[in-house]
Amino acid sequence: LAAIFSRARSLRTADTSGTAAAELFADAIAEACSSLFALELAGCATMPAEALTVVLVGCLQLRTLVLSRCCRVSHLAFHHSSHSLRALDLSFCLLEHAALLEVASNCPELVSLALRGCAQLRDESVLELCTRCPELEAVDLGHCPLLTDYALYALAARCANLSELRVDGSALLTDEAVGAVVEACPLLSLLSLAHCTQVSGQALLTLARHSHFLRELDVSYCAALGEGALVHLARHAGQLETLRAACCAWLSPAGLELIVESCSLLRKLDVARCPQLGLDEIARILRRTPIIVDLEMGL
């Protein structure tokens, strides 16, 4: 691989995800591939901070960096990172607050940030990121169990351009915080609330009033939601293309029929494991809506 990189000086993108001993060719990447725009190092758990620093210092045009599942990412790695970085994926990494402070300080032009599955992530880190990276448009905070409403209040106060937000699996979030983001971010087109057990129909009512560009919604496993709120949202979400409502005991055949009739652009629908919805009822409803091309209805 080092030999390949040394001969590929015009390389713009590279994916070395899961490659063993990736640190051994870090020097080659940095020295020979200064024009790299995108680099994926997902799963390179053995790469030390020093090797990652070499890459970041050498690739000053880097716009996209994927480090998901790279185990522990040190703050030292981002101390000299390029200010031009636009998209960063640190999903399922062990991240200390100091590392995220370096990201916030040295990557002010970030528009996409994924921190999914970062079990140590806390509200104060999200606040720093929002304060120093106000241009964020896509944020993935899914399955970060320590986050509370304050993390969403930070997004609402500082990231008005937000269009995609994933907070699925965040059991501490409430309607008030979700509503604050919805009201402050009118460009919101994707919202994932799956497994947010404290979020109720009130959040969907707020979404119906403010999110006129909503194209994708996931409310799977949200037991506190009600059918009436989702039907109301469907009547106001004229751009909705994807709806995931798996394992929603409150969703009935009549409710699903109203939702499908209201969403004329709906293409993808997930109603798997909804106990009130049998295969016959789903088939009957969908016979009148041939526009749906991706359907999940497993029992």
Side-chain angles (χ1 to χ4, degrees):
L1 279 173
I4 292 173
F5 283 121
S6 67
R7 291 172 172 80
R9 296 185 178 275
S10 61
L11 197 66
R12 307 301 292 275
T13 65
D15 185 348
T16 63
S17 300
T19 305
E23 67 275 12
L24 298 180
F25 52 85
D27 288 337
I29 296 175
E31 292 175 7
C33 304
S34 59
S35 61
L36 266 183
F37 272 17
L39 177 61
E40 294 198 22
L41 296 169
C44 297
T46 61
M47 177 172 279
E50 295 78 8
L52 182 56
T53 298
V54 168
V55 172
L56 293 176
V57 171
C59 302
L60 294 179
Q61 296 188 54
L62 202 61
R63 300 292 186 272
T64 299
L65 178 62
V66 178
L67 295 172
S68 58
R69 301 184 186 278
C70 284
C71 196
R72 186 177 298 276
V73 176
S74 169
H75 69 282
L76 298 175
F78 289 95
H79 187 65
H80 300 291
S81 61
S82 168
H83 281 33
S84 63
L85 204 62
R86 301 289 193 278
L88 177 62
D89 188 345
L90 294 170
S91 298
F92 301 100
C93 292
L94 293 175
L95 294 173
E96 297 180 354
H97 183 61
L100 289 169
L101 281 179
E102 289 294 340
V103 170
S105 299
N106 294 291
C107 308
E109 298 184 17
L110 278 179
V111 296
S112 177
L113 177 63
L115 298 172
R116 169 172 291 270
C118 294
Q120 295 177 302
L121 184 65
R122 294 183 178 273
D123 295 336
E124 52 266 33
S125 297
V126 177
L127 175 60
E128 288 293 338
L129 288 163
C130 294
T131 300
R132 304 190 191 195
C133 306
E135 301 303 317
L136 282 170
E137 298 176 5
V139 175
D140 188 346
L141 301 175
H143 294 280
C144 296
L146 300 181
L147 294 185
T148 73
D149 284 354
Y150 292 105
L152 294 196
Y153 289 139
L155 282 168
R158 295 167 174 82
C159 300
N161 293 329
L162 195 67
S163 62
E164 297 183 8
L165 176 62
R166 294 175 173 86
V167 290
D168 44 294
S170 300
L172 301 179
L173 301 181
T174 68
D175 290 332
E176 289 73 17
V178 174
V181 172
V182 168
E183 292 179 1
C185 305
L187 300 178
L188 200 63
S189 63
L190 183 154
L191 179 61
S192 178
L193 299 171
H195 294 277
C196 290
T197 54
Q198 292 195 56
V199 174
S200 75
Q202 186 59 46
L204 296 191
L205 297 180
T206 305
L207 195 60
R209 289 195 301 270
H210 296 280
S211 294
H212 305 298
F213 299 100
L214 189 68
R215 287 183 169 80
E216 183 171 342
L217 176 66
D218 191 346
V219 293
S220 300
Y221 298 89
C222 290
L225 289 179
E227 180 175 85
L230 187 56
V231 170
H232 178 78
L233 171 63
R235 288 170 172 160
H236 293 80
Q239 303 298 315
L240 194 65
E241 299 174 358
T242 300
L243 174 62
R244 295 184 173 88
C247 203
C248 291
W250 39 263
L251 186 57
S252 70
L256 179 61
E257 188 166 6
L258 290 172
I259 291 167
V260 170
E261 289 177 351
S262 299
C263 299
S264 60
L265 298 181
L266 195 63
R267 297 292 184 274
K268 298 181 180 180
L269 177 65
D270 182 357
V271 289
R273 297 177 298 283
C274 290
Q276 294 191 57
L277 300 177
L279 297 180
D280 291 340
E281 288 90 348
I282 296 174
R284 177 184 60 80
I285 293 168
L286 297 184
R287 269 196 293 268
R288 298 201 300 271
T289 55
I291 60 171
I292 293 179
V293 297
D294 189 343
L295 175 65
E296 176 59 55
M297 56 181 185
L299 301 179

